[in-house]
Amino acid sequence: MRRIYEPPEPDDGLRVLVDRLWPRGLARDEAHVDQWPKGLTPSTELRKWYHGGGTYEEFRRRYEAELDATEAAGLLDGLRETARKGPVTLLTASKTPEESHARVLADLLKG
């Protein structure tokens, strides 16, 4: 897991953007993104709730519930399978990746 604004590293493996919106000020050819599964991202409503003052613990619980939905569950299973075969780097523009949806996804991929 890393911020998308950081330069790619040789050991990144598959680079997956896990944000619903394209990061501001970043050209697509500079991002080196291999996949952008928007169906894995938190809903707009959940994002707004969290950034409006929600707690990380409750955000995590609600986001994990969203990931149980059919489309997201299939995408998550596919990403898990890919991660079993080699390195996957989750990319986010979040200023605090450790308290973001990227952390939730990273933990779910490990577990």
Side-chain angles (χ1 to χ4, degrees), residues 9-85:
E9 296 288 334
D11 60 347
D12 280 352
L14 185 74
R15 292 173 51 90
V16 181
L17 177 61
V18 294
D19 292 349
R20 185 169 298 269
L21 304 174
W22 189 261
R24 290 183 185 163
L26 185 65
R28 291 182 191 253
D29 60 337
E30 294 173 6
H32 304 280
V33 169
D34 298 310
Q35 291 183 7
W36 187 14
K38 294 179 188 178
L40 274 180
T41 63
S43 66
T44 300
E45 296 80 16
L46 181 56
R47 249 184 331 104
K48 287 181 179 180
W49 173 85
Y50 183 44
H51 294 295
T55 66
Y56 177 70
E57 293 77 21
E58 180 64 15
F59 167 77
R60 181 180 187 98
R61 187 190 69 72
R62 292 180 184 193
Y63 181 42
E64 286 177 354
E66 286 187 357
L67 289 171
D68 284 338
T70 307
E71 178 190 2
L75 290 169
L76 184 57
D77 287 344
L79 194 55
R80 275 189 186 117
E81 187 62 33
T82 300
R84 287 185 192 113
K85 296 175 184 174

